Amino acid sequence: MSFSTIQLITGANAPLGEASTVKITVSCKQSPAELDVSCFMVGSDGKVSSDDYFVFYNQPSDPGRIVQFNPQDKLNSEFMINLSALQSSPIQKCVFAITLDGPGTFADVSGCRITAATPVNEVVYEITEGNAETSLVLAELYRHSSGFKLRAVGRGFHGGLKPLAEAHGVNVADEEDTSSSPSPAAPSVQAEQARANASSVIEASRSEAASASTSAAPTKINLNKIDLLKQKVSISLRKKNIEQEKARVAVIFDASGSMYGLYESGVVQRAFERVLAVAASMDDDGMMDVWFFASKSQRMKSVNENEYENYVKNTYPVPRLFGGLGAGNNEPVVMADIIKKYTKEEPSSMPTYVVFFSDGGIYETQKISKLLIDSSGQNIFWQFVGLGNADFGVLRKLDDLRGRVLDNADFFALDDLDKVSDEDLYDRLFDEYPQWLKDARAKGIISP
C-alpha cells in the first residue's frame, strides 16, 4: 500500500485509514509568544465528561492514556493517540486547540499547521485563518462509519486558555482558588504505558467517566505551569536522594545592559518560572526571594507559585541605564546583600540555595573570590548559571578557588536556556548541591 499525503482546506475532512495509532503534530514557524497546545476529549455534547479528559501541558494524558501529549519546544508539540482504545471508549471526538501564552495575537503567528500521520497516510492542514484572536481551534479527530477522520476547523477564539477550556466543559480554577485547589496528577508518558493493553485502557477510561459523572463537586483544574515543573524538580531531587531536604531558595538575575534581549524575548521570565518550581518544591515556606543587579543591586518582592505570571515584566521588565540599576556588572554588591540577609538579618541553620543567572562580563575576580571564601563557612550554596558563551572569569575556576572551608559553589554555562530541557536543567542545578549538604552537615554548618 502506497503512502499518501492529503492537504485540507478549512471545513474539509479526510479519513485516516485503517490504523491503530495516529500521531498529531502541531507546529508553527514563528510566534510572538510560547504556544500552549491542548486536546479536549469530548462527548456528543462537545464537552469533556470530566476535567481528566483535558490534555495539556499540566496534564499530559487522560486516565486511560488514550491521548498522550509530548511537547517538543515552545513552537512544536505532538500527541500520540491510540485509535483502537478511542474506538471502544465513550469519547466522540478529540478537539485540538492552540493558545498564545503571552503577548500578540494569531495575526502575528506564521507557518502554523496540524498534521495527522499514520503508517499509511498523512493529513495536513495549513492554518491561515488567525486574526486578532489569542486562541484557535485547529482541528478535530472524530468518529465516522468508515473510521476516524480529521476535520480542519481553523476557528478563532477570544480570551485565552481559560475561556477556551471552559467552553469545552473544563472546570477551571480562578486565580484566587489556586492556593487551595489540588493540582491534577500528570501521568507518566513512558513507552511501556503507550503500549498498554487496550482492554485495560478502555476499562480505565469508562471507569473514570462514570466516576466523574456521579461526582457532586468536581475538582477545579489548575492551569498553573509551575505544577508540571514541580513534578520534574521532584524527579531530579529523587535522583540525587535529597527529595526530603528543605532550604531557603533565592534567585539572582543579571540586569546589565547586555541582558536586554533576554528580558525582551521572555527568557528571563521563563528562567524565573523554572527556578520558582524549585522553591515551590524545596523551600520551607514555598516562597522564593528575588534579586536583580547591574551596577547596583535591589531586593524584590518574594514570590510563591501562585504569583508567577508576568513577574519579571511587573517587577523589572528590562535593563535600564537611567532610573534603574545601571548597565554594568557588579556581582559583589548583590552577593554581599545575599550574605547579609541570610547570615545577619535572618540567621538560620537551614540551608540556603542560591541560583545566580549571569550572561558574563565578570571582572571583579578578587571581590567575588573573597565573598565566596568568606561565606564558605556559612549556610549558603551558590549555583551560578552562565547564559551564552561569554567571559565568566572566576566562575569557570571555582574548583580551583582555595581557602574555603568547603566547596560552596558550582557553575555551568548554557548557550541557549530555552533549548535545555527541564529535566536536564534540574539535574545540572542539583549536580554538586547534594555533596555540599553532606559536607556542610558534617561540619555543623547546617542542621542535621
Side-chain angles (χ1 to χ4, degrees):
M1 181 180 294
S2 61
F3 187 85
S4 63
T5 298
I6 303 170
Q7 295 282 346
L8 291 182
I9 61 173
T10 303
N13 62 73
L16 298 184
E18 296 181 2
S20 59
T21 61
V22 60
K23 179 170 73 173
I24 303 291
T25 303
V26 178
S27 63
C28 290
K29 292 181 179 178
Q30 185 174 346
S31 171
E34 187 171 354
L35 299 173
D36 286 338
V37 183
S38 51
C39 174
F40 302 95
M41 303 171 66
V42 302
S44 56
D45 61 353
K47 310 287 186 180
V48 296
S49 60
S50 80
D51 294 344
D52 293 330
Y53 294 89
F54 171 34
V55 180
F56 69 123
Y57 56 79
N58 207 17
Q59 187 166 263
S61 178
D62 64 283
R65 301 185 180 91
I66 298 173
V67 176
Q68 300 190 63
F69 178 50
N70 180 26
Q72 304 296 300
D73 54 47
K74 63 182 182 180
L75 296 179
N76 300 273
S77 297
E78 292 179 355
F79 295 90
M80 289 300 301
I81 301 175
N82 184 335
L83 293 178
S84 299
L86 183 61
Q87 178 66 43
S88 301
S89 77
I91 305 302
Q92 293 299 306
K93 61 183 176 181
C94 296
V95 180
F96 300 94
I98 190 169
T99 302
L100 284 170
D101 182 25
T105 68
F106 274 92
D108 308 309
V109 177
S110 63
C112 190
R113 62 155 53 183
I114 182 169
T115 302
T118 74
V120 297
N121 71 351
E122 179 183 65
V123 180
V124 180
Y125 173 41
E126 306 275 355
I127 298 99
T128 59
E129 277 71 16
N131 290 304
E133 305 91 354
T134 53
S135 297
L136 280 176
V137 176
L138 304 175
E140 55 188 30
L141 175 68
Y142 67 99
R143 297 171 181 270
H144 190 266
S145 58
S146 61
F148 285 101
K149 288 188 173 185
L150 187 77
R151 176 183 291 118
V153 178
R155 183 176 68 250
F157 198 98
H158 292 279
L161 182 56
K162 184 176 184 288
L164 174 68
E166 289 175 335
H168 288 87
V170 179
N171 196 10
V172 180
D174 292 328
E175 286 300 314
E176 58 268 25
D177 294 335
T178 57
S179 61
S180 60
S181 297
S183 302
S188 171
V189 292
Q190 299 298 320
E192 293 84 358
Q193 294 171 326
R195 297 191 293 266
N197 182 273
S199 63
S200 64
V201 168
I202 297 162
E203 182 180 350
S205 177
R206 286 174 170 163
S207 174
E208 289 290 332
S211 175
S213 64
T214 58
S215 175
T219 299
K220 292 186 176 182
I221 198 163
N222 192 345
L223 299 179
N224 193 333
K225 287 184 177 179
I226 308 303
D227 292 329
L228 179 58
L229 292 173
K230 282 164 58 180
Q231 294 167 26
K232 297 177 181 180
V233 171
S234 296
I235 292 172
S236 290
L237 292 175
R238 283 197 298 272
K239 288 181 185 176
K240 306 294 184 179
N241 294 317
I242 57 171
E243 65 270 25
Q244 302 303 319
E245 296 283 354
K246 293 297 179 182
R248 298 183 292 188
V249 178
V251 66
I252 304 171
F253 288 109
D254 184 344
S256 60
S258 58
M259 288 282 293
Y260 188 92
L262 298 182
Y263 279 78
E264 279 281 280
S265 62
V267 170
V268 175
Q269 171 67 26
R270 290 189 287 276
F272 162 81
E273 292 169 2
R274 293 164 95 173
V275 181
L276 181 58
V278 173
S281 301
M282 197 163 67
D283 194 278
D284 60 323
D285 61 2
M287 298 296 292
M288 182 171 72
D289 299 324
V290 184
W291 277 259
F292 289 80
F293 83 97
S295 302
K296 298 179 290 185
S297 165
Q298 185 174 351
R299 296 186 197 181
M300 301 300 184
K301 176 183 178 292
S302 297
V303 61
N304 65 32
E305 63 181 291
N306 297 317
E307 304 169 292
Y308 76 97
E309 290 192 49
N310 296 319
Y311 179 88
V312 173
K313 180 180 179 180
N314 296 333
T315 305
Y316 201 81
V318 293
R320 299 191 298 272
L321 179 60
F322 300 106
L325 299 176
N329 285 83
N330 189 359
E331 292 79 14
V333 68
V334 68
M335 292 178 67
D337 196 40
I338 289 275
I339 295 169
K340 177 183 177 183
K341 175 180 173 67
Y342 294 118
T343 66
K344 303 295 184 183
E345 298 175 6
E346 302 175 15
S348 172
S349 60
M350 177 174 288
T352 303
Y353 180 76
V354 179
V355 183
F356 194 124
F357 288 99
S358 172
D359 74 338
I362 293 173
Y363 61 89
E364 294 279 13
T365 298
Q366 291 185 344
K367 291 182 180 180
I368 293 173
S369 299
K370 185 176 187 305
L371 286 164
L372 288 173
I373 292 169
D374 291 347
S375 65
S376 64
Q378 303 290 346
N379 61 335
I380 301 174
F381 180 83
W382 305 86
Q383 178 60 67
F384 294 94
V385 181
L387 302 176
N389 187 19
D391 179 12
F392 293 106
V394 66
L395 299 185
R396 291 193 181 275
K397 302 176 182 179
L398 288 176
D399 289 340
D400 299 324
L401 184 59
R402 301 188 181 281
R404 291 179 290 172
V405 175
L406 74 170
D407 185 352
N408 62 338
D410 184 31
F411 169 80
F412 62 87
L414 303 170
D415 287 339
D416 187 340
L417 182 62
D418 281 346
K419 291 184 178 179
V420 178
S421 69
D422 298 323
E423 293 82 358
D424 186 32
L425 178 64
Y426 292 135
D427 284 350
R428 297 181 74 171
L429 285 176
F430 301 130
D431 188 25
E432 294 192 13
Y433 180 61
Q435 185 61 48
W436 176 83
L437 285 172
K438 181 178 179 181
D439 294 343
R441 194 160 278 135
K443 291 183 179 293
I445 295 172
I446 60 175
S447 57

